[in-house]
Amino acid sequence: MAFLVLGEKFTDLDDLNDRVTEHETEAQQIYIVRNYCTIEKQYPNDTRVNRKLVYSVLQLRCKHGPKSRESQATGLRKSRSLKLNCPAFINFTLSKDRQSLAISSLNLDHNHENFYDTLPEVRRLSEKESRKVARLVNDLGSSKRKIMIEIYENSKKRVTRKDIDNICAI
Ligand SMILES: [Zn+2]
């Protein structure tokens, strides 16, 4: 089940990230962080709050959503991607017991086509990259999540956890 549902709860930010990545891969859409508040800032002295969540509020928006105010104000760089004012978003808020982040509202209907850069042929790693990933995971025990982020930052390839599992199984 890759579609996210209202009220779905997460007790760990890694699990939340995995689910969002899974959904992004399935739907071939990309969400970016639009707004957030950290637990550190909102509850600095609360010893009961689940700090594995990192955020007390997290708002994700489709990459093709409306521009944030800051980027409109500076206007320095024109984004290469089309801004379509896509209404899709996912909001997470801390539960009353402060032990989980729950989806408090969401809209998964996009007003545009899927993104080509999530297609398997586009996210496929070169042989050299694959060997490096396999070594990092199998020999050095690096976190798969960290590797996924690093690959994305370096090459904009959005590999999934499954892709990494496949690479490491070779
Ligand atoms: Zn969209």
Side-chain angles (χ1 to χ4, degrees):
M1 190 199 59
F3 272 80
L4 298 157
V5 291
L6 193 66
E8 194 170 344
K9 283 182 178 179
F10 303 89
T11 52
D12 191 309
L13 185 64
D14 284 342
D15 295 343
L16 185 154
N17 275 326
D18 279 352
R19 277 288 280 133
V20 171
T21 307
E22 187 191 12
H23 173 69
E24 286 178 323
T25 309
E26 185 93 346
Q28 295 181 8
Q29 302 289 359
I30 295 171
Y31 290 84
I32 55 173
V33 175
R34 171 65 185 264
N35 210 346
Y36 66 89
C37 184
T38 62
I39 284 173
E40 200 52 52
K41 195 175 171 190
Q42 199 173 356
Y43 303 103
N45 302 315
D46 188 333
T47 52
R48 290 168 312 133
V49 63
N50 178 359
R51 293 188 181 271
K52 281 190 286 187
L53 298 170
V54 183
Y55 301 104
S56 52
V57 176
L58 183 62
Q59 301 184 333
L60 305 181
R61 267 217 96 111
C62 172
K63 191 182 168 189
H64 278 343
K67 278 183 191 169
S68 65
R69 251 182 249 140
E70 304 93 81
S71 63
Q72 272 173 356
T74 57
L76 289 174
R77 268 181 50 193
K78 265 203 171 155
S79 172
R80 281 193 317 166
S81 60
L82 288 167
K83 286 289 174 188
L84 301 161
N85 283 335
C86 177
F89 69 88
I90 312 164
N91 287 347
F92 300 88
T93 47
L94 194 64
S95 59
K96 276 205 179 106
D97 63 5
R98 298 179 188 171
Q99 297 306 304
S100 57
L101 271 173
I103 299 179
S104 50
S105 52
L106 81 170
N107 175 9
L108 303 177
D109 294 326
H110 297 261
N111 66 359
H112 54 85
E113 293 297 304
N114 300 342
F115 284 105
Y116 82 96
D117 62 350
T118 53
L119 296 172
E121 58 268 30
V122 179
R123 67 172 200 257
R124 194 165 291 149
L125 299 179
S126 70
E127 210 185 307
K128 197 179 157 194
E129 286 172 317
S130 299
R131 276 203 307 268
K132 189 182 167 192
V133 167
R135 188 163 47 82
L136 284 170
V137 174
N138 293 339
D139 301 347
L140 302 171
S142 300
S143 141
K144 288 176 186 173
R145 176 78 203 158
K146 264 192 196 151
I147 291 171
M148 282 158 69
I149 293 168
E150 205 180 296
I151 291 169
Y152 183 67
E153 284 175 350
N154 290 332
S155 65
K156 297 288 172 246
K157 287 176 187 171
R158 300 186 62 89
V159 297
T160 63
R161 185 169 282 239
K162 215 175 187 177
D163 293 334
I164 294 184
D165 286 342
N166 290 338
I167 289 166
C168 296
I170 294 166

